[in-house]
Amino acid sequence: MRIGELSHRTGVSGRLLRYYEEQGLLAPTRTSTGYRVYAEADVQRVRHIRILLGAGLGTVAIAELLPCMTESNGTLVALCPELVPQFEKERDRITATITALETARTALTTIISNPLPEGVYQAS
């Protein structure tokens, strides 16, 4: 299938599919005239890439992890147990980011909810 059909079937723009190719995530064959030709399996591969990107992984990590991923009952599963620590590390990084954002939100909520002291000039 050509890039337009893969784009249509996956909901991913052609530009993004070309970027995935540049990053080594997709490897279409080429016709004699240079057109990209994707395999049927690339539909699922793009779906896996999107899931991993949505999980917070970068394209470099995805290129490393993708060969060890499969789908089971509609869920992405790591076939290689040695990948689990890498996923745990990424999950811990995301958890730390969430904690920092929650702290920032609490600080802003405190600032917003405290009234001005009596006699303090309020700019209009």
Side-chain angles (χ1 to χ4, degrees), residues 1 6 10 26-28 37-47:
M1 83 187 82
L6 182 61
T10 61
L26 290 174
V37 178
Y38 294 91
E40 184 64 32
D42 287 329
V43 173
Q44 184 176 19
R45 188 171 181 88
V46 170
R47 185 175 28 245

Side-chain angles (χ1 to χ4, degrees), residues 3-18 20 26 46-47 50:
I3 196 166
E5 183 178 347
L6 182 61
S7 175
H8 177 73
R9 291 182 59 189
T10 61
V12 175
S13 72
R15 181 176 180 200
L16 202 48
L17 293 171
R18 287 188 291 277
Y20 292 165
L26 290 174
V46 170
R47 185 175 28 245
R50 300 300 296 167

Side-chain angles (χ1 to χ4, degrees), residues 51-105:
I51 290 168
L52 293 169
L53 284 168
L57 299 172
T59 57
V60 172
I62 292 172
E64 180 184 336
L65 300 172
L66 206 50
C68 286
M69 303 305 293
T70 191
E71 245 181 85
S72 175
N73 298 321
T75 302
L76 202 54
V77 178
L79 293 173
C80 309
E82 65 272 14
L83 295 180
V84 172
Q86 190 166 349
F87 286 120
E88 290 173 334
K89 181 180 175 183
E90 186 60 22
R91 182 198 56 206
D92 293 346
R93 183 194 67 76
I94 291 169
T95 299
T97 301
I98 290 169
T99 301
L101 288 169
E102 287 173 339
T103 300
R105 180 182 58 201

Side-chain angles (χ1 to χ4, degrees), residues 101-117:
L101 288 169
E102 287 173 339
T103 300
R105 180 182 58 201
T106 299
L108 285 172
T109 299
T110 300
I111 292 167
I112 292 166
S113 63
N114 284 325
L116 286 173

